[in-house]
């Protein structure tokens, strides 16, 4: 659905050249909810804004739904944009127009017939659950409601793609969740491809099926969300995941424990617990669970538990080696 | 006391005539300023850097012309434009003739105020419209002007008040109106009664315009 080839975006500011996007190649399939994460300044917005040519790429190709956007004339680009929806962190609604008029504007932009507009507006507001707010002005809405209007107008012309730039970053966790639910619903109902930029891995975990991690204009890691969460290759990716899988043991516990502290990972639906108790028994090592956490990523469990192992040095080492072999992985936190 | 009232009695027809002349001059100039100033203001804005009709030269030329007109003191503009006024109307005396310099002064003045209010429009909203594939024309009509409406109305208020004081100056060179009256009676004949009365009328008019302008601007602001 979206194909980026050798995409580079440079800005010239105060005589200096800033490379915001650096030779990015990316393929986003139809129906994907594709997350792009990275710290501030990584180039996420620049990358996203190249996908509808709000930023003109310095080099490279942007192919959306089979059309190479950089080769289009102004008028052709304008028509192509009608099929690429976009929502924004700060909603960017027209303050002088009502909710219904905001949605109608996008329909007008696409040259919809006047008599068809009110019906379609109703349909869209119904879809995002704002039918009763049709005559409100944006200033009278909450953040979540504003973003719903943003979504309604972005999908008004049946786009192939929806681009979301930090669409939930200005919202509280609960509202974020409801907006993500809505996006998920739209993705299913309309088979709409969604590209979503965020600095919160929580958001990725919640709705994305694929994710790319960006740093200094490059994509450093890319893959299925479960795969990235369970087996991150880059330290940056690990940083992001740690925020979701975060845990901390009290320092006192780490210091006072006499045994070896290990973190045992488990994945999918394996019965790691049974494996662990078998191994411990066979090695004559005692295990004491200190911490555990399971996250469900697209309904598949991903988790770990932290154990203190006590016993003979050799036996403990043997147990760790065995565990590493039989589970998704073992990390020794304190030898 | 009765002398004082008698004086009003005799001057009243002149005053009423002057009042209507002023309204006529300011009113027509305002209409011309709206018709030409809004497009000029929009053009100044949309041809500026980063906007959809970005055009450095057009923007520069329009900007320089508006600045030149705005920097000439009105009284001098009035005199400079006499040949132009004559060519247009074959006359340089009277309120209709005064409309020419008043409009010339008001158009760039108002256009800059329009441009300033357009600059206040959230860039993100314009961007959302571009991302939606809207034509520039629709963006101007459907976003820029409605979003800037409160600011444009404030601009109209300021323009109207400036025109009122300019129209009084136009009176000096035979433009008619309240200013003309004040000069003829108050200045040349030391008639303080007429002079103060005209000043009071002008003050009341300014307050009225300001009040109506503020009220309307608030009324259309949905932010
Ligand atoms: N219009 C611009 N002119 C000059 N430099 C820019 C411009 N836009 C972005 N940049 C620079 O490009 C780099 C990437 O910016 P970008 O906005 O794409 O990052 P981001 O990942 O979206 O960050 P954030 O999470 O803060 O939104 C930054 O160094 C930024 O300063
Ligand atoms: Mg950004």
């Amino acid at each position: 659905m979206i194909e980026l080839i050798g995409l580079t975006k440079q800005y010239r500011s105060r005589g200096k050249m800033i490379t915001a996007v650096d030779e990015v190649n990316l393929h986003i399939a139809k129906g994907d909810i594709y997350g792009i994460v990275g710290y501030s300044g990584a180039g996420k917005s620049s990358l996203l804004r190249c996908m509808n040519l709000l930023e003109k790429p310095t080099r490279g190709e942007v192919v959306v739904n089979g059309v190479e956007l950089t080769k289009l004339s102004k008028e052709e680009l304008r028509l192509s944009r009608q099929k690429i929806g976009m929502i924004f962190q700060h909603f960017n609604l027209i303050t002088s127009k009502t909710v219904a008029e905001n949605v109608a504007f996008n329909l007008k932009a696409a040259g919809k017939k006047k008599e068809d507009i009110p019906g379609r507006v109703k349909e869209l507001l119904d879809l995002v659950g704002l039918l009763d707010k049709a005559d409100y002005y944006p200033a009278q809405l909450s953040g979540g409601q504003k973003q719903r209007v943003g979504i309604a107008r972005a999908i008004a012309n049946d786009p192939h793609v929806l681009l979301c730039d930090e669409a939930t970053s200005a919202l509280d966790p609960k509202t974020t969740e409801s907006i993500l639910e809505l996006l998920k619903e739209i993705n299913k109902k309309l088979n709409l491809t969604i590209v979503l930029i965020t600095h919160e891995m929580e958001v990725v975990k919640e709705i994305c099926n694929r994710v790319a991690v960006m740093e200094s204009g490059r994509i450093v890691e890319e893959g299925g969300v479960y795969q990235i969460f369970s087996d991150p290759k880059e330290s940056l990716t690990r940083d992001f995941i740690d925020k979701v899988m975060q845990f901390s043991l009290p320092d006192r516990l780490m210091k006072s424990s006499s045994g070896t502290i290990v973190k045992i990972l488990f994945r999918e639906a394996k019965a790691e617990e049974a494996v662990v108790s078998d191994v411990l028994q066979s090695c004559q090592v005692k295990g004491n669970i200190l911490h555990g956490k399971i996250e469900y990523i697209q309904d598949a469990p991903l988790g770990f538990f932290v154990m203190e192992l006590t016993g003979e040095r050799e036996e403990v080492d043997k147990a760790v080696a065995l565990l590493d072999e039989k589970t998704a992985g073992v990390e020794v936190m304190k030898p | 006391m009765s002398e004082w009232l008698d004086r009003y009695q005799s001057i009243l027809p002149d005053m009423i005539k002057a009042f209507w002349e002023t309204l006529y001059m300011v009113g027509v100039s305002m209409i011309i300023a709206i018709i030409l100033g809004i497009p000029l203001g929009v053009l100044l804005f949309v041809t500026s850097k980063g906007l959809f009709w970005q055009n450095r030269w057009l923007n520069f030329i329009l900007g320089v012309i508006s600045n030149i007109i705005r920097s000439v003191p009105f009284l001098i503009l009035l005199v400079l434009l006499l040949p132009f006024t004559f060519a247009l109307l074959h006359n340089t005396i009277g309120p209709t003739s005064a409309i020419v310099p008043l409009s010339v002064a008001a158009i760039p003045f108002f256009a800059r105020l329009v441009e300033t209010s357009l600059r206040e429009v959230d860039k993100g909203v314009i961007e959302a419209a571009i991302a939606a594939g809207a034509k520039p024309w629709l963006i101007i009509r459907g976003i820029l002007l409605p979003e800037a409406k409160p600011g444009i109305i404030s601009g109209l208020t300021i323009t109207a008040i400036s025109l009122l004081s300019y129209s009084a100056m136009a009176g000096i060179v035979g433009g008619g109106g309240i200013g003309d009256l004040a000069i003829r009676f108050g200045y040349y004949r030391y008639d303080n009664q007429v002079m103060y009365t005209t000043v009071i009328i002008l003050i009341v008019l300014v307050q009225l315009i300001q009040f109506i302008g503020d009220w309307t601007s608030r009324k259309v602001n949905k932010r």
Side-chain angles (χ1 to χ4, degrees):
Chain A
M1 182 50 64
I2 300 179
E3 194 89 49
L4 305 180
I5 304 160
L7 189 71
T8 299
K9 174 69 195 179
Q10 293 170 325
Y11 296 104
R12 187 178 280 287
S13 97
R14 279 187 245 116
K16 269 211 315 217
M17 195 75 104
I18 298 166
T19 304
V21 178
D22 194 3
E23 291 289 328
V24 165
N25 295 299
L26 197 62
H27 172 82
I28 298 173
K30 186 163 179 57
D32 270 352
I33 302 187
Y34 199 103
I36 298 173
V37 293
Y39 289 119
S40 191
K44 309 180 294 292
S45 298
S46 303
L47 180 68
L48 190 81
R49 292 160 57 82
C50 281
M51 293 183 194
N52 62 358
L53 252 58
L54 275 183
E55 289 309 342
K56 202 174 154 12
T58 312
R59 272 194 303 283
E61 288 175 40
V62 180
V63 184
V64 180
N65 199 32
V67 180
E68 157 54 318
L69 296 185
T70 56
K71 298 233 158 56
L72 296 182
S73 70
K74 250 189 174 159
E75 183 62 11
E76 289 168 328
L77 176 62
R78 188 177 74 75
L79 295 173
S80 287
R81 279 175 174 156
Q82 292 167 2
K83 294 290 177 188
I84 307 175
M86 191 170 202
I87 57 176
F88 305 86
Q89 178 174 3
H90 300 293
F91 324 119
N92 297 353
L93 301 179
I94 310 163
T95 57
S96 55
K97 290 190 192 300
T98 62
V99 166
E101 288 167 347
N102 264 279
V103 177
F105 179 88
N106 280 36
L107 293 167
K108 254 188 239 164
K112 258 259 190 327
K113 278 206 232 72
K114 215 175 185 143
E115 63 266 28
D116 298 340
I117 290 179
R120 178 71 179 139
V121 167
K122 222 169 184 177
E123 222 173 87
L124 288 158
L125 290 182
D126 193 24
L127 182 67
V128 300
L130 281 181
L131 213 42
D132 56 328
K133 300 279 187 290
D135 296 325
Y136 282 47
Y137 285 93
Q140 300 168 307
L141 302 179
S142 72
Q145 291 168 334
K146 283 183 198 163
Q147 197 57 289
R148 281 168 190 273
V149 180
I151 292 171
R153 99 179 151 173
I155 60 172
N157 296 312
D158 301 306
H160 313 293
V161 181
L162 180 62
L163 308 176
C164 316
D165 192 350
E166 305 268 9
T168 58
S169 299
L171 306 174
D172 63 57
K174 209 171 154 115
T175 314
T176 293
E177 201 169 313
S178 80
I179 293 294
L180 294 180
E181 262 330 297
L182 177 63
L183 288 176
K184 224 192 283 191
E185 186 189 321
I186 290 168
N187 166 260
K188 287 234 172 65
K189 217 183 249 175
L190 312 175
N191 195 23
L192 181 68
T193 309
I194 298 179
V195 187
L196 191 146
I197 277 184
T198 181
H199 55 259
E200 296 166 302
M201 212 58 182
E202 277 294 335
V203 171
V204 171
K205 190 197 92 188
E206 209 64 54
I207 71 165
C208 295
N209 65 322
R210 289 188 78 81
V211 61
V213 182
M214 256 190 119
E215 186 179 29
S216 319
R218 293 172 172 275
I219 289 187
V220 294
E221 191 161 2
E222 195 265 344
V225 168
Y226 194 89
Q227 180 221 322
I228 295 280
F229 266 82
S230 58
D231 188 18
K233 299 277 187 290
E234 297 291 322
S235 66
L236 176 67
T237 315
R238 230 168 281 139
D239 277 1
F240 271 105
I241 290 163
D242 282 349
K243 287 212 196 89
V244 175
M245 305 298 274
Q246 206 170 40
F247 75 99
S248 65
L249 290 178
D251 251 4
R252 183 180 47 77
L253 196 64
M254 288 289 270
K255 285 207 184 86
S256 70
S257 85
S258 54
T260 303
I261 297 181
V262 293
K263 181 171 145 191
I264 302 163
L265 303 173
F266 60 98
R267 268 187 226 171
E268 321 270 347
K270 274 195 212 152
E272 322 296 78
E273 217 172 5
V275 172
V276 171
S277 72
D278 284 354
V279 167
L280 295 187
Q281 228 154 42
S282 73
C283 297
Q284 293 172 326
V285 169
K286 266 204 192 135
N288 176 23
I289 293 185
L290 302 177
H291 192 96
K293 185 160 183 165
I294 304 180
E295 285 287 344
Y296 285 84
I297 292 158
Q298 296 176 338
D299 299 329
L302 175 66
F304 64 84
F305 39 125
V306 175
M307 292 184 100
E308 179 189 26
L309 305 179
T310 45
E312 297 282 331
R313 183 82 254 165
E314 287 142 50
E315 289 298 311
V316 169
D317 287 348
K318 203 171 102 197
V320 169
L322 262 174
L323 283 172
D324 196 30
E325 191 180 300
K326 292 194 171 171
T327 66
V330 172
E331 188 187 309
V332 178
M333 298 175 69
K334 182 188 167 208
Chain B
M1 187 65 189
S2 89
E3 196 186 320
W4 193 72
L5 277 179
D6 281 352
R7 179 83 190 103
Y8 267 130
Q9 201 112 66
S10 68
I11 198 76
L12 197 63
D14 277 337
M15 276 215 178
I16 290 173
K17 182 165 168 274
F19 182 76
W20 285 116
E21 279 175 354
T22 295
L23 282 195
Y24 165 68
M25 282 189 285
V26 172
V28 175
S29 312
M30 280 300 286
I31 291 168
I32 295 174
I34 291 170
I35 293 172
L36 297 178
I38 289 182
L40 179 58
V42 169
L43 215 52
L44 278 167
F45 178 65
V46 298
T47 57
S48 64
K49 193 163 179 284
L51 273 244
F52 45 83
W53 280 342
Q54 182 174 339
N55 184 324
R56 232 175 99 200
W57 281 109
L58 186 58
N59 189 266
F60 179 75
I61 290 167
L62 292 177
V64 166
I65 293 173
S66 334
N67 286 348
I68 289 175
I69 297 176
R70 287 186 315 145
S71 52
V72 177
F74 182 70
L75 212 50
I76 296 172
L77 188 72
L78 202 69
V79 175
L80 284 176
L81 284 174
L82 282 177
F84 176 67
T85 310
F86 189 79
L88 214 61
L89 302 169
H90 298 291
N91 185 10
T92 57
I93 306 288
T96 305
S97 300
I99 287 171
V100 176
L102 283 175
S103 305
V104 170
I107 292 165
F109 183 84
F110 180 50
R112 281 295 192 193
L113 294 172
V114 169
E115 186 202 0
T116 308
S117 2
L118 291 173
R119 257 179 226 303
E120 311 261 289
V121 174
D122 185 352
K123 284 279 177 326
V125 180
I126 302 172
E127 196 164 76
I130 292 172
K135 284 188 177 139
W137 190 232
L138 182 64
I139 298 178
I140 292 171
R141 260 189 317 120
I143 302 219
L144 291 180
L145 293 177
E147 288 290 274
K149 212 195 264 167
I152 292 176
I153 289 172
S154 299
L156 269 179
T157 312
I158 298 170
T159 309
I161 290 170
S162 301
L163 276 180
L164 194 61
S165 85
Y166 286 173
S167 81
M169 274 192 244
I172 299 172
V173 293
I178 301 173
D180 186 34
L181 198 70
I183 297 284
R184 271 191 292 135
F185 287 83
Y187 186 67
Y188 292 129
R189 296 193 208 160
Y190 304 106
D191 184 338
N192 284 341
Q193 191 183 346
V194 173
M195 183 135 94
Y196 289 135
T197 309
T198 55
V199 168
I200 289 166
I201 292 175
L202 285 174
I203 290 173
V204 170
L205 268 179
V206 167
Q207 297 294 338
L208 197 70
I209 294 170
Q210 188 74 54
F211 176 78
I212 294 172
D214 287 351
W215 184 82
T216 319
S217 175
R218 255 202 316 277
K219 194 81 189 156
V220 300
N221 195 347
K222 303 293 181 191
R223 246 177 275 178

